[in-house]
Amino acid sequence: MRKLHVAIIDLVTKGPTRALYARIMHANLASIMPQVLGVWCEEEGHDVTFVCYTGFENLVEELPEDIDLVFIGAFTQAAQLAYALSNMLQSKGVVTALGGPHARCYPQDAQKYFDYVLGFTDKETIRDLLNDCSKHRPTGVCLSANQQPTALPGVRERWKFIEQTLQKAPLIKIVPMLGSIGCPYTCSFCIDSVVPYQPLDFDVMKEDLRFLLSKFKRPRVGWHDPNFGVRFNDYMEAIEEAVPPDSIDFIAESTLSLLSEPHLKRLKRNGFKAMLPGIESWYDMGNKSKTGKKTGLDKVKHISEHLRTVMRYIPYVQANFVFGLDVDEGQEPFELTKKFLDMTPGAFPAYSMLTAFGQAAPLNLEYQRANRVLPFPFHFLNNNHAMNVKPKNYSWPEFYDHLIDVSKHSFSWGAIFRRYKAVKPALPRWMNVLRAVSSEGFGRIKYHTEIRHRLDTDPQFLPYFEQETTELPQFYLDRIRKDMGSLWEWLPEGALYHDPNAYLKSEKEKSLTPLSIDVDTKPQPVEELDFVGAIPAPDLA
Ligand code: SF4
């Protein structure tokens, strides 16, 4: 096999930026799989150029001229950027492959713009691709292993890629680690709900933690597990065996049901500084928050008390919510959220609008069957810039009114100050302020207000939202063009549009086809969290 020059691009964001929050945090949102691919390609004897794109690099200049093959890892919000990059590189003779959440959510669409589209990816899959490494146009090949890999290169093996990425993080450096894949819970909107839970090798984890102590005085580790601590005792024993108590700062996403007081004590002792539990809804998901059949105000009181207990042990807590779920109706879910924030001033609220990411989750089939999925360009599908599922119990103006109201309440100066006072350690309290005044708090209030205004005044808006037309309002077109910078010129024709019901169609075709061989149509893990990032997107553990 000839030696290839492989480029790997991890798209953390969807276009150039100069934002302060992006400068501080984007490099900490790097994904693990692109680094894993780098290790595997080198092990196969190829040269690797690795680029983590945080929005501050010039992608055209970063890539060497003599690349044979490029792997691009992207969440759905970066799909248009990925398509443009692929088009530009294909025009120079480069073979292109797409991996990451977008490839798993929208394989049929990605096939139009890449030679290879990767589903579950193990070393064997990559070896096959490297051996073939040929152009597949106009329709790319989907490759997928039967399941997620059972072992992955650890931090030590990925270090050269981690180190070069963290050089771009000026203040806070968070090393991405993974202890398990999949999740035993079955939240119907989540990509990880269909991936069987499986812990990775605890010996590799222990070795990695010791290795990090040789690299940093006090390392920070962000666990990318969809739901950290499912096998709580095994994890804690591994950490306790590997490193002295409270010698590493850990950040993790976990279900509230795992955060009992004895567990919290142990987490604190072992250095856990930030937890991101998912509340999602005041009317659903009782199993993962351990609130059972409690709903509404009862659930607010119960969870508020629980989170106040969590915050006695863990200084930084982000509470995740999803708005627009079918169980929600009227003003109450938003009012309850406001009440919860008043009762729990230290928790940082992270809001997602209900989004159906292609074939990420079985629930999306139901939305597609009911013709409720809108064809918003991928660029806006980051849980906040567009909601692509028509709400069941709200008109669009009503929904946005409530969303703006709860956002203004959450990021008022009063709420910011209360949050600041409720959190004592300097880093988390200032991180809360930064997030509130940046694109996440103030920025989203401004953006949602603009959308709400246009629903009343822009004649293109409401017909598009109501699915009376598929003609994209000029507002969105202008915004993508601006966001993509110079790569807009390379966006292939038609790449702004996708079939919002492709998943349903592929399922129907599958039921008519006796056997399919190499086309992967399995769902994938979601995308990222605003804070810890690479935790697959609207990951909502
Ligand atoms: S949302 Fe969280 S708890 Fe639910 S399946 Fe996904 S990872 Fe598991």
Side-chain angles (χ1 to χ4, degrees):
M1 182 177 45
R2 78 186 166 102
K3 185 173 184 148
L4 300 171
H5 192 166
V6 179
I8 296 173
I9 306 173
D10 178 8
L11 294 180
V12 165
T13 189
K14 57 184 177 180
T17 178
R18 290 284 166 266
L20 178 63
Y21 180 78
R23 171 72 73 190
I24 294 173
M25 286 307 292
H26 273 183
N28 292 312
L29 308 185
S31 295
I32 289 178
M33 274 315 274
Q35 300 169 2
V36 165
L37 250 57
V39 174
W40 285 342
C41 289
E42 287 190 342
E43 282 174 358
E44 292 298 306
H46 305 290
D47 287 333
V48 171
T49 298
F50 185 89
V51 180
C52 174
Y53 177 66
T54 62
F56 294 89
E57 304 79 359
N58 182 331
L59 273 172
V60 179
E61 285 172 10
E62 294 263 334
L63 297 173
E65 282 296 320
D66 58 339
I67 309 168
D68 301 297
L69 168 67
V70 65
F71 287 101
I72 299 176
F75 288 106
T76 289
Q77 65 162 350
Q80 262 94 26
L81 182 66
Y83 290 178
L85 263 176
S86 177
N87 190 26
M88 182 188 79
L89 292 167
Q90 284 189 342
S91 77
K92 295 179 179 176
V94 179
V95 173
T96 65
L98 180 74
H102 185 70
R104 285 184 57 203
C105 287
Y106 295 96
Q108 302 87 355
D109 197 73
Q111 271 179 290
K112 293 190 253 170
Y113 309 106
F114 284 84
D115 296 297
Y116 298 92
V117 177
L118 297 167
F120 289 148
T121 304
D122 59 10
K123 195 169 176 183
E124 201 59 41
T125 314
I126 294 302
R127 192 177 292 138
D128 289 347
L129 193 160
L130 292 166
N131 286 338
D132 181 43
C133 191
S134 53
K135 295 174 184 169
H136 295 276
R137 300 170 196 169
T139 305
V141 179
C142 284
L143 296 176
S144 182
N146 290 331
Q147 60 175 52
Q148 293 278 35
T150 50
L152 291 170
V155 171
R156 185 190 284 277
E157 289 161 286
R158 293 186 278 119
W159 181 246
K160 67 186 264 196
F161 305 120
I162 295 173
E163 190 177 32
Q164 87 172 68
T165 300
L166 289 185
Q167 275 166 5
K168 298 179 181 182
L171 288 179
I172 307 166
K173 296 182 190 298
I174 302 174
V175 176
M177 282 187 67
L178 190 66
S180 64
I181 54 171
C183 182
Y185 288 86
T186 52
C187 311
S188 53
F189 56 84
C190 174
I191 195 160
D192 288 297
S193 64
V194 290
V195 178
Y197 176 77
Q198 175 196 306
L200 299 175
D201 189 337
F202 285 108
D203 287 333
V204 174
M205 185 210 287
K206 285 189 259 185
E207 194 198 313
D208 283 347
L209 293 175
R210 289 187 202 108
F211 172 76
L212 281 176
L213 274 184
S214 73
K215 293 289 177 191
F216 296 96
K217 206 163 145 214
R218 189 176 178 91
R220 282 200 180 91
V221 167
W223 292 102
H224 286 210
D225 303 43
N227 190 356
F228 179 85
V230 169
R231 279 176 55 182
F232 189 82
N233 288 332
D234 293 337
Y235 265 87
M236 291 303 123
E237 275 162 24
I239 292 171
E240 285 156 6
E241 209 183 304
V243 291
D246 199 13
S247 55
I248 298 179
D249 288 341
F250 292 113
I251 302 167
E253 185 159 7
S254 175
T255 48
L256 271 176
S257 57
L258 295 169
L259 300 178
S260 63
E261 197 150 0
H263 281 192
L264 288 166
K265 283 184 183 158
R266 203 163 169 194
L267 287 167
K268 180 181 177 175
R269 207 164 51 237
N270 284 326
F272 279 74
K273 296 292 187 294
M275 294 303 275
L276 297 85
I279 296 168
E280 332 308 2
S281 158
W282 300 116
Y283 301 98
D284 207 349
M285 322 286 170
N287 58 342
K288 57 185 288 206
S289 54
K290 218 176 176 184
T291 48
K293 292 198 187 328
K294 283 197 180 72
T295 59
L297 191 56
D298 279 352
K299 187 171 172 184
V300 171
K301 287 180 183 160
H302 185 92
I303 289 191
S304 175
E305 196 184 324
H306 190 165
L307 280 195
R308 277 180 274 132
T309 304
V310 173
M311 294 194 74
R312 289 211 302 275
Y313 297 94
I314 311 281
Y316 195 95
V317 173
Q318 171 184 299
N320 298 327
F321 296 90
V322 181
F323 289 133
L325 290 165
D326 286 0
V327 284
D328 288 352
E329 207 172 343
Q331 204 175 339
E332 198 176 61
F334 300 91
E335 289 301 320
L336 290 173
T337 305
K338 285 157 69 175
K339 188 148 197 79
F340 164 79
L341 289 180
D342 294 344
M343 293 167 70
T344 331
F348 189 94
Y351 301 135
S352 293
M353 296 193 288
L354 176 63
T355 308
F357 287 95
Q359 57 192 52
L363 184 63
N364 297 353
L365 281 175
E366 275 180 43
Y367 296 136
Q368 294 185 13
R369 261 185 220 111
N371 192 29
R372 288 175 58 196
V373 183
L374 279 77
F376 276 109
F378 297 132
H379 187 78
F380 299 99
L381 299 189
N382 61 358
N383 301 310
N384 283 289
H385 285 143
M387 169 158 152
N388 74 345
V389 181
K390 196 173 176 189
K392 186 174 171 202
N393 299 316
Y394 298 92
S395 70
W396 285 109
E398 252 173 7
F399 178 77
Y400 270 92
D401 281 342
H402 292 311
L403 181 66
I404 292 164
D405 179 53
V406 75
S407 303
K408 281 185 173 168
H409 185 92
S410 315
F411 303 112
S412 65
W413 283 112
I416 294 170
F417 184 62
R418 282 194 294 280
R419 206 173 293 129
Y420 177 87
K421 285 217 340 180
V423 176
K424 298 298 171 218
L427 182 62
R429 75 177 351 184
W430 281 108
M431 183 57 81
N432 279 337
V433 175
L434 176 67
R435 292 178 73 184
V437 302
S438 72
S439 55
E440 191 174 352
F442 290 3
R444 282 189 200 152
I445 293 172
K446 193 168 163 225
Y447 180 83
H448 295 326
T449 306
E450 168 89 37
I451 301 295
R452 174 65 187 90
H453 176 67
R454 284 179 181 270
L455 283 168
D456 279 347
T457 58
D458 186 331
Q460 289 188 305
F461 256 59
L462 209 49
Y464 185 80
F465 278 66
E466 291 296 343
Q467 298 167 291
E468 289 158 12
T469 174
T470 52
E471 193 187 334
L472 185 67
Q474 190 64 34
F475 167 83
Y476 289 107
L477 208 58
D478 292 344
R479 198 163 165 120
I480 304 181
R481 188 182 293 133
K482 184 165 167 268
D483 287 354
M484 283 183 62
S486 58
L487 278 164
W488 166 260
E489 303 298 329
W490 285 99
L491 191 68
E493 200 174 329
L496 276 182
Y497 304 94
H498 68 276
D499 179 354
N501 298 316
Y503 182 22
L504 183 62
K505 283 182 194 156
S506 80
E507 288 297 296
K508 281 184 183 158
E509 278 161 22
K510 263 201 293 184
S511 66
L512 297 173
T513 315
L515 186 66
S516 91
I517 353 159
D518 58 357
V519 177
D520 171 53
T521 47
K522 289 188 195 78
Q524 68 137 24
V526 200
E527 51 196 351
E528 73 24 59
L529 266 198
D530 280 325
F531 183 52
V532 180
I535 298 176
D539 194 65
L540 305 157

